[in-house]
């Protein structure tokens, strides 16, 4: 799993009388003045579900297909957008920043006064550099109404699938109908008699299926009185692209060996 860390400097200008939470990003702001340090770590964004967190999840709401979540837009960006198009969208929205020279687990934020965007890239199967994750953070100089912020989020994206540890989570339905997500989790990590009857041939096969299901597109929104954090990600795309490029490299190496063997003069 890719890890996230980063540091961004955000301006200290006061927010307008009416807080703009249009996550497509507002019009360009005046140049930033005094800055303050804001550290954002992986734990704030890539929180994984645990048995404890699942037990505290509230009643289920609507589920969304992977295609629907891939079409969610966050601050003008979408998953699988090319980095060229993403840079243009962020610049047009008034964000300042540039790509790191290397595609890595560490990214610098594109920033605009009191908000920042952290876009993660990967090399897709088509060879283009695309986005697999977009993280957005906005901080407020005064306490905001969490109910109003939640209303603005649901107005944009719809009702969440669930509320988990206070976060609004939008996700796809569990794809396997013969074993529940909780039973799969328990079978993998705690074992149990029902594991003998799961539809997978082995525990390893079940674990692979479970991990792939966990890495489908997801939107997670954390709301507090002083900040808003939004995480739109598609981790499975990265893993599948890595495997694709690994398989390609292996196939190319094997073809090279085959040709070398075929053309080798043994001197016999």
């Amino acid at each position: 799993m890719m890890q996230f860390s980063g540091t961004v400097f955000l301006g200290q200008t006061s927010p307008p009388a009416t807080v703009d939470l249009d996550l497509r990003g507002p019009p360009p702001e005046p140049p930033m003045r005094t800055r303050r340090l804001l550290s954002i770590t992986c734990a704030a964004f890539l929180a994984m579900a645990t048995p404890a967190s699942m037990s505290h999840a509230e009643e289920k709401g609507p589920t969304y297909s992977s295609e629907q979540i891939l079409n969610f837009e966050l601050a003008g960006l979408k998953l699988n957008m090319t980095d060229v198009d993403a840079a243009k969208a962020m610049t047009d929205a008034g964000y300042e920043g540039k790509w790191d020279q290397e595609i890595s687990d560490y990214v610098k934020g594109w920033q605009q006064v009191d908000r920042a965007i952290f876009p993660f890239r990967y090399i897709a199967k088509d060879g283009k550099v695309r986005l697999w994750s977009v993280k957005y953070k906005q901080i407020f100089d005064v306490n905001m109404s969490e109910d109003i912020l939640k209303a603005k989020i649901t107005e944009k994206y719809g009702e969440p699938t669930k509320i988990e540890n206070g976060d609004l989570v939008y996700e796809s339905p569990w794809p396997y109908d013969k074993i529940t997500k909780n039973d799969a989790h328990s079978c993998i990590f705690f074992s149990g008699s029902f594991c003998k009857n799961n539809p997978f041939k082995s525990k390893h096969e079940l674990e692979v299926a479970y991990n792939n299901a966990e890495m489908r597109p997801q939107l997670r929104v954390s709301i507090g009185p002083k900040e808003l954090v939004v995480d739109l990600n598609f981790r499975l795309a990265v893993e599948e692209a890595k495997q694709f490029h690994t398989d390609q490299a292996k196939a190319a190496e094997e073809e090279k060996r085959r040709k070398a063997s075929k053309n080798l003069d043994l001197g016999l």
Side-chain angles (χ1 to χ4, degrees), residues 103-224:
I103 299 175
S104 69
D105 300 347
Y106 178 88
V107 294
K108 296 177 183 177
W110 292 63
Q111 56 198 28
Q112 183 195 121
V113 190
D114 60 350
R115 65 199 72 185
I117 304 173
F118 297 83
F120 289 81
R121 300 173 294 165
Y122 75 108
I123 302 175
K125 293 180 180 180
D126 60 7
K128 294 183 179 180
V129 179
R130 298 182 178 276
L131 303 185
W132 72 270
S133 175
V134 181
K135 296 172 173 61
Y136 172 95
K137 182 158 186 173
Q138 182 169 359
I139 55 178
F140 312 111
D141 287 341
V142 297
N143 286 350
M144 296 292 168
S145 166
E146 295 184 36
D147 289 339
I148 292 178
L149 298 183
K150 286 180 181 178
K152 287 180 176 290
I153 293 297
T154 55
E155 181 181 356
K156 180 177 178 64
Y157 296 113
E159 292 293 330
T161 305
K162 62 183 178 182
I163 299 178
E164 187 174 76
N165 294 335
D167 293 350
L168 280 62
V169 180
Y170 297 76
E171 61 183 9
S172 303
W174 176 249
Y176 307 105
D177 57 1
K178 293 183 179 180
I179 185 170
T180 69
K181 182 176 179 179
N182 286 353
D183 283 350
H185 183 281
S186 297
C187 179
I188 294 167
F189 296 103
F190 304 104
S191 191
S193 59
F194 65 86
C195 290
K196 299 177 182 178
N197 301 320
N198 81 67
F200 298 92
K201 296 178 181 178
S202 67
K203 189 171 180 178
H204 173 70
E205 189 175 297
L206 169 62
E207 185 172 3
V208 170
Y210 178 87
N211 289 336
N212 285 346
E214 283 289 277
M215 291 190 290
R216 289 170 299 162
Q218 185 191 78
L219 175 70
R220 179 180 289 265
V221 183
S222 301
I223 297 174

Side-chain angles (χ1 to χ4, degrees), residues 10 21 23 28 42 54 56 153 184 210 222-223 230-232 234:
L10 300 179
L21 284 181
L23 301 185
C42 174
M54 286 189 289
H56 287 88
I153 293 297
Y210 178 87
S222 301
I223 297 174
V230 188
D231 177 10
L232 179 62
F234 186 18

